Amino acid sequence: MQAEVKQTDQEVKHAEHSEFVSFTVAGQAFCLKITQIREIRRWSPVTILPHAPADVLGVMNLRGAVIPIYDLSARFGLQQTEASERNVVIVVSVHGKPVGLLAESVSEIISINPDEIQETPPVDSRNTMEYIQGIISHDDTMVRIINLDAVISAPEQVML
Amino acid sequence: MSGSIQDTFFEECEELLEATDEGLTAIEGGDHDPEVVNAIFRAVHSIKGGAGAFGLDDLVAFAHRFETVFDEVRSNRLDLDPKLIQLLLRSSDHLSALVEVARDGGEVDEAHHDTLLAALDEYIPEEEEDLTFEPMGLGGPAAAPEVIVPQEETYRIRFHPLKEMYGTGNEPFFLFQALKDMGELTVTLDENELPGFDSMDVSDSYLAWDLVLVTKEPRSIVEAVFEFVEGLCELSIDGDGDAEAEANALAALDAMFSAPPVEAALPDPAPDTAADSASAPFEPPAPAPEPEAKPAAAEDKASAPKAESGKQEQRSGPKPTLRVELERVDRLINAVGELIINHSMLAQQIANLNVSDTRDVETELEGFKNLARDIQEGVMAIRAQPVKPLFQRMARIVREASAATEKTCKLVNEGENTEVDKTVIERLSDPLTHILRNAVDHGIEKPEDREAAGKSRIGEIRLSASHRSGSVCIEIKDDGAGVNRPRVKQIAIEKGLIPENAELTDAEIDNLLFAPGFSTAKEVSNLSGRGVGMDVVKNAVTGLGGRINISSTPGKGSTFTIILPLTLAVMDGMVVSVADQTMVVPITSIVETMRGSDDMINSLGADGTLLSIRGNFVPICDVAGGLGLYRESDQQAGVYLLVETETGQRCALAVDDIHDQRQVVIKSLDGVCGEIPGVAAATILGDGKIAMILDPESIIAASPTAAAFDTERRMSNAS
């Protein structure tokens, strides 16, 4: 009986809340909606793409598909990540194509009530404003919600 | 839903138009076999029928006129003289154009449309105008229907469908309508079996009909109406005809069994009878329902996918075929590519195991490899298609181009059955069109000039395809005037493509045609001068991993040769390492490989280095530098790949090491990233790592040394 009640509670909670995966990039906390993430992999050396911009690390073999890997930190205008075994690649699907995003490490899954999401306060960086959809406070730290469509533009304009 | 049916219609139209073209080409070549004429007639008729269902009035009207003329030819009332053949060819082209307009939108050339209609009308006797709207069921050999003297007959038909018939989507109304189209029909409903409302089973069949039909059609045609409901109804047909009529009907029936079907757009039998119809693919078709009955037929067709495959089977003759979505084949190709990669990964893992006796495993692995190769070849073969349809379309281009330039040309096709990857065929269409237009516009001379030069008035363009050691060779050869070299050179100088005092070899001048921004037409004709030059053709061909060359003899003509890889999915590559990265260079572009020593390298100027090969000096192009990579280790580029570019220029690509030569599966980088200079595509190696497939041509173009050397050479030639 008790268990049943508990489950209903959880269901209600599910309906209201969205789940986000939080991770760190260059020491800052970011998060992505869990439904946007296809898988999370350990970093392994990638194949360099010649003439690629600094935030494109290269390409990786994901079960036979060639997917580009972006350095989120460099993309956000932070310092370039020295990728190592400890880092993770978050595979997301943007514009119908899989894309890998290099992050320092994945932290946890957090449940967020849409009401908790605050608008990004205006700061003097257009990149930041574009890439960040909103912010939330979680355990007294600020977690930035990434606007994936802005971070990875349509395939035609990815490079050059 | 209607979209997909319409797609099917257009797909069929394409096949039918091909058949029409093929038939007309045969007739043009002197083959006046009545069966050829019949085949064209049937194809045009099917297009008309389908177009009617979709309300494509222009198409229907034109197809009808076209078909009527063919009917005249079929019944030997018209002679196939060259003038008529030309008209028919032009009409067939216009029919294709109309289909294209119906499918893709756009404008019909009204003036042309009206001219052709008027020209066709001249061949149509007034009173025959509506003849072709009669059922075409007897579309067999022309002789058979003609011998039957039409005689009014009365048939008493008792038709009682079983409930299964309704389950297959057949509808008595359409059957009756088909009958009504043959003559006078009286329908009486017999509802005696209808039970009381309480005991009625909604899924059962209680109704029967008594029909009286007065028609000139033979019994076989009447019977054919019920063809598809055979076994699904209780049916009796009583005619009052005599034995002679019966015999005639039988003869007609025989004729039909030996002839391919005319109308396939009828509701196909549902699954339980599909087996029957499949075992007898040449069933006589039922009389064609009038266009207004077609939409229902088309719907039935869509709801019963079996109808599709069955029909396909019928049209392509003895070889059964299967129509498969391209995407499914591509998925299979990808999977096979994975399988091959997986095999090499497995082999590498086993080698790493340090097991002393791996012989057994290796034998099995070898078998695995062979099987994988077999599957791969099989899958590739699915994508391969003969170039015939493409070549046939080209005949139309040549006809149109000839008409526009008032020249007479004929296109001779060779090696039409050469099979090439579907994508290659699709992407070859534009370049070929352009080359052929050019050949007619610039290559072939005016008939008077040809006569003066002692050639036949009719220009000949030969389009041939053949397999040549792992690649496909397509040749376009005209017997025209050849490249006007002084003029080409003058234009190149005017456009600033070459210095004024440049001295070029004949081959170099010919290749100027491919230079961007080059166009020889004195005034921009509306034919080939459409703002695109031969450089676009060249780009399209190189985009397919191929090469294009031109050779020309003044007064004798020019030949364009296009060499293409057999498939776009797999290629032979040399695995090299460049700045700690593994990369693949296409074997086709490599002339020779060598390990260099210091004394072979000569400096030229501050940065330029030349490699001496048996007394010849070729510029060295450092691949790592060209790609913007730097070496972390001390390893120096010590191995040279001698490659040759389109223009015949040689260059030594400097790489760190050569590892292996193997077949690699090409993975496109489209959608992964934009175009990368120097990189053509990517592949996955045995260790699961991705390697870039290099494009030597663009590496050299980007390399300052080689590019500079090229200019220097031109300049030194010039002085």
Side-chain angles (χ1 to χ4, degrees):
Chain A
M1 194 67 174
Q2 193 104 25
E4 247 172 53
V5 173
K6 223 176 176 179
Q7 203 172 5
T8 342
D9 269 358
Q10 229 165 23
E11 265 165 28
V12 171
K13 205 176 155 193
H14 267 290
E16 286 173 357
H17 289 67
S18 319
E19 297 205 304
F20 285 75
V21 175
S22 72
F23 45 89
T24 43
V25 175
Q28 302 185 4
F30 291 87
C31 68
L32 273 171
K33 220 177 198 165
I34 200 160
T35 48
Q36 292 174 308
I37 296 175
R38 286 173 54 158
E39 64 182 280
I40 296 171
R41 301 169 67 91
R42 188 176 295 281
W43 163 265
S44 62
V46 295
T47 303
I48 295 169
L49 276 177
H51 303 297
D55 51 11
V56 178
L57 289 164
V59 286
M60 185 181 88
N61 171 15
L62 182 75
R63 289 183 296 278
V66 179
I67 68 166
I69 309 294
Y70 290 83
D71 180 357
L72 269 186
S73 172
R75 198 80 176 164
F76 292 145
L78 309 167
Q79 78 272 21
Q80 247 176 290
T81 314
E82 282 291 325
S84 75
E85 280 262 314
R86 291 194 312 276
N87 298 135
V88 290
V89 171
I90 301 169
V91 180
V92 294
S93 180
V94 196
H95 310 290
K97 298 251 180 199
V99 168
L101 305 171
L102 174 70
E104 228 162 68
S105 61
V106 171
S107 319
E108 58 181 323
I109 295 175
I110 48 180
S111 195
I112 301 172
N113 187 326
D115 300 340
E116 291 173 41
I117 301 175
Q118 305 167 22
E119 274 187 32
T120 323
V123 287
D124 197 19
S125 158
R126 196 191 297 159
N127 264 8
T128 315
M129 290 299 289
E130 244 175 65
Y131 294 157
I132 308 301
Q133 216 166 36
I135 50 173
I136 40 171
S137 165
H138 179 73
D139 292 346
D140 293 335
T141 57
M142 183 177 81
V143 183
R144 302 141 189 90
I145 303 174
I146 296 176
N147 177 6
L148 210 49
D149 289 339
V151 173
I152 312 296
S153 46
E156 288 76 35
Q157 304 135 29
V158 169
M159 277 179 59
L160 302 170
Chain B
M1 174 104 168
S2 78
S4 67
I5 301 173
Q6 207 153 342
D7 286 350
T8 315
F9 164 64
F10 286 126
E11 260 171 49
E12 281 166 17
C13 266
E14 225 151 85
E15 285 168 21
L16 293 166
L17 286 168
E18 269 165 32
T20 312
D21 252 11
E22 196 177 333
L24 283 172
T25 314
I27 289 175
E28 197 187 14
D31 181 358
H32 291 198
D33 184 350
E35 197 34 57
V36 175
V37 177
N38 271 322
I40 301 173
F41 178 78
R42 285 194 297 268
V44 176
H45 184 75
S46 301
I47 294 175
K48 184 181 89 177
F54 293 107
L56 305 169
D57 297 336
D58 270 4
L59 192 52
V60 174
F62 189 79
H64 174 62
R65 228 58 82 87
F66 192 18
E67 172 195 70
T68 311
V69 172
F70 253 98
D71 196 42
E72 293 294 303
V73 173
R74 200 166 70 128
S75 41
N76 292 325
R77 282 192 290 261
L78 264 182
D79 260 350
L80 275 170
D81 56 56
K83 194 170 151 243
L84 177 58
I85 292 175
Q86 282 312 311
L87 174 66
L88 291 173
L89 280 166
R90 282 197 350 252
S91 304
S92 149
D93 293 347
H94 188 60
L95 194 64
S96 310
L98 285 172
V99 170
E100 272 163 34
V101 168
R103 182 183 51 203
D104 309 327
E107 288 290 315
V108 183
D109 184 348
E110 292 290 345
H112 187 57
H113 184 81
D114 294 341
T115 325
L116 281 176
L117 276 184
L120 285 173
D121 274 346
E122 278 177 30
Y123 287 94
I124 304 173
E126 292 288 315
E127 71 275 21
E128 304 278 356
E129 186 65 19
D130 282 327
L131 196 115
T132 45
F133 266 119
E134 279 182 22
M136 288 305 151
L138 269 180
E146 299 307 323
V147 295
I148 299 168
V149 186
Q151 226 170 19
E152 294 254 318
E153 265 194 73
T154 309
Y155 296 97
R156 275 166 235 290
I157 303 163
R158 165 88 184 173
F159 175 59
H160 182 201
L162 301 176
K163 67 173 177 185
E164 285 79 12
M165 197 201 86
Y166 297 105
T168 62
N170 277 299
E171 167 63 65
F173 173 71
F174 294 120
L175 300 175
F176 300 161
Q177 198 163 35
L179 288 173
K180 188 167 168 274
D181 293 336
M182 293 182 195
E184 213 174 291
L185 181 73
T186 327
V187 184
T188 320
L189 174 66
D190 176 4
E191 25 141 75
N192 291 337
E193 277 183 49
L194 204 64
F197 200 72
D198 301 337
S199 52
M200 191 156 82
D201 178 0
V202 285
S203 64
D204 208 342
S205 162
Y206 302 106
L207 299 177
W209 286 270
D210 289 306
L211 304 110
V212 180
L213 174 67
V214 182
T215 179
K216 287 179 183 168
E217 298 294 339
R219 185 193 178 92
S220 54
I221 290 295
V222 178
E223 279 174 348
V225 172
F226 298 97
E227 184 72 43
F228 294 115
V229 291
E230 215 180 295
L232 298 173
C233 62
E234 289 163 14
L235 179 72
S236 67
I237 303 176
D238 298 317
D240 58 7
D242 53 16
E244 196 191 334
E246 193 80 340
N248 273 345
L250 273 177
L253 199 67
D254 277 351
M256 270 186 298
F257 268 104
S258 59
V262 178
E263 266 302 333
L266 274 182
D268 226 67
D272 48 345
T273 52
D276 295 349
S277 72
S279 61
F282 293 117
E283 277 175 313
E290 288 293 304
E292 60 264 25
K294 284 272 175 64
E299 258 167 47
D300 276 357
K301 208 172 68 185
S303 61
K306 283 211 168 181
E308 257 315 301
S309 51
K311 204 157 92 195
Q312 181 70 12
E313 215 164 275
Q314 289 174 7
R315 187 167 295 120
S316 53
K319 275 191 192 167
T321 57
L322 183 68
R323 190 179 274 173
V324 185
E325 256 175 77
L326 194 58
E327 200 195 324
R328 294 191 192 185
V329 178
D330 285 347
R331 224 155 49 206
L332 196 56
I333 288 179
N334 270 339
V336 174
E338 289 315 298
L339 189 67
I340 288 175
I341 293 165
N342 195 257
H343 165 264
S344 40
M345 285 167 89
L346 208 58
Q348 204 156 331
Q349 296 283 338
I350 289 169
N352 291 346
L353 276 181
N354 264 337
V355 181
S356 54
D357 187 13
T358 57
R359 268 174 304 172
D360 287 351
V361 184
E362 269 169 20
T363 317
E364 295 302 322
L365 213 55
E366 195 60 30
F368 175 23
K369 184 177 165 184
N370 290 338
L371 281 173
R373 278 278 153 90
D374 278 358
I375 298 173
Q376 191 190 22
E377 273 168 27
V379 174
M380 289 301 167
I382 296 178
R383 275 191 67 101
Q385 288 188 331
V387 292
K388 195 171 180 181
L390 175 71
F391 278 19
Q392 272 171 0
R393 277 209 300 282
M394 291 306 134
R396 175 180 163 193
I397 303 290
V398 170
R399 276 199 297 278
E400 284 175 354
S402 311
T405 54
E406 288 166 7
K407 293 173 184 174
T408 38
C409 310
K410 67 170 179 201
L411 182 75
V412 180
N413 291 342
E414 277 171 12
E416 291 177 320
N417 292 324
T418 309
E419 294 200 329
V420 189
D421 188 277
K422 187 180 161 64
T423 316
V424 177
I425 290 184
E426 278 164 7
R427 284 163 62 181
L428 259 183
S429 174
D430 285 348
L432 274 189
T433 305
H434 203 77
I435 294 176
L436 283 171
R437 281 203 182 120
N438 261 317
V440 175
D441 202 11
H442 307 307
I444 303 285
E445 315 93 323
K446 292 220 153 56
E448 312 80 80
D449 298 345
R450 288 184 62 86
E451 222 160 31
K455 295 194 225 178
S456 142
R457 283 178 71 88
I458 302 166
E460 187 183 278
I461 302 175
R462 204 166 271 276
L463 179 59
S464 66
S466 58
H467 282 289
R468 205 179 275 178
S469 63
S471 46
V472 181
C473 173
I474 292 179
E475 229 175 52
I476 304 100
K477 186 176 183 158
D478 68 62
D479 67 347
V483 175
N484 185 349
R485 294 201 177 108
R487 171 114 191 101
V488 166
K489 197 174 160 188
Q490 193 196 332
I491 288 174
I493 293 169
E494 277 168 20
K495 304 223 162 161
L497 297 172
I498 49 168
E500 207 162 315
N501 51 358
E503 267 184 43
L504 305 179
T505 63
D506 287 351
E508 277 173 318
I509 296 176
D510 291 349
N511 275 303
L512 280 174
L513 291 179
F514 296 119
F518 184 91
S519 178
T520 50
K522 282 188 193 131
E523 65 254 38
V524 176
S525 67
N526 62 352
L527 190 58
S528 45
R530 290 184 184 193
V532 282
M534 291 298 278
D535 58 318
V536 178
V537 171
K538 187 181 175 180
N539 286 344
V541 173
T542 26
L544 287 167
R547 299 192 306 272
I548 181 163
N549 282 313
I550 175 173
S551 69
S552 175
T553 319
K556 291 270 174 60
S558 326
T559 306
F560 287 91
T561 313
I562 301 175
I563 309 278
L564 292 167
L566 210 48
T567 157
L568 298 178
V570 176
M571 64 156 210
D572 279 309
M574 190 164 279
V575 182
V576 300
S577 60
V578 175
D580 303 314
Q581 295 271 324
T582 310
M583 299 193 177
V584 177
V585 183
I587 288 280
T588 45
S589 56
I590 300 176
V591 180
E592 109 180 61
T593 63
M594 70 208 71
R595 221 161 260 283
S597 52
D598 285 346
D599 55 324
M600 285 168 76
I601 298 163
N602 305 278
S603 294
L604 184 73
D607 306 311
T609 43
L610 300 183
L611 186 72
S612 109
I613 306 165
R614 297 179 291 273
N616 284 323
F617 295 98
V618 292
I620 295 174
C621 170
D622 184 41
V623 175
L627 294 176
L629 303 173
Y630 63 94
R631 294 184 176 80
E632 279 175 20
S633 57
D634 292 338
Q635 173 134 36
Q636 279 300 306
V639 184
Y640 299 95
L641 311 174
L642 188 64
V643 295
E644 199 174 78
T645 65
E646 300 302 312
T647 49
Q649 187 209 340
R650 290 186 168 209
C651 182
L653 292 183
V655 298
D656 299 1
D657 210 351
I658 295 176
H659 300 288
D660 195 4
Q661 182 182 325
R662 69 170 77 148
Q663 250 195 345
V664 294
V665 179
I666 300 172
K667 297 271 177 188
S668 167
L669 286 173
D670 281 355
V672 174
C673 57
E675 198 174 307
I676 307 170
V679 174
T683 187
I684 298 175
L685 296 175
D687 57 1
K689 285 269 175 57
I690 293 171
M692 296 293 140
I693 298 174
L694 301 179
D695 174 11
E697 192 96 355
S698 73
I699 292 178
I700 293 168
S703 153
T705 320
F709 185 76
D710 197 33
T711 331
E712 257 165 49
R713 197 176 54 137
R714 286 251 159 92
M715 296 306 279
S716 65
N717 275 346
S719 56

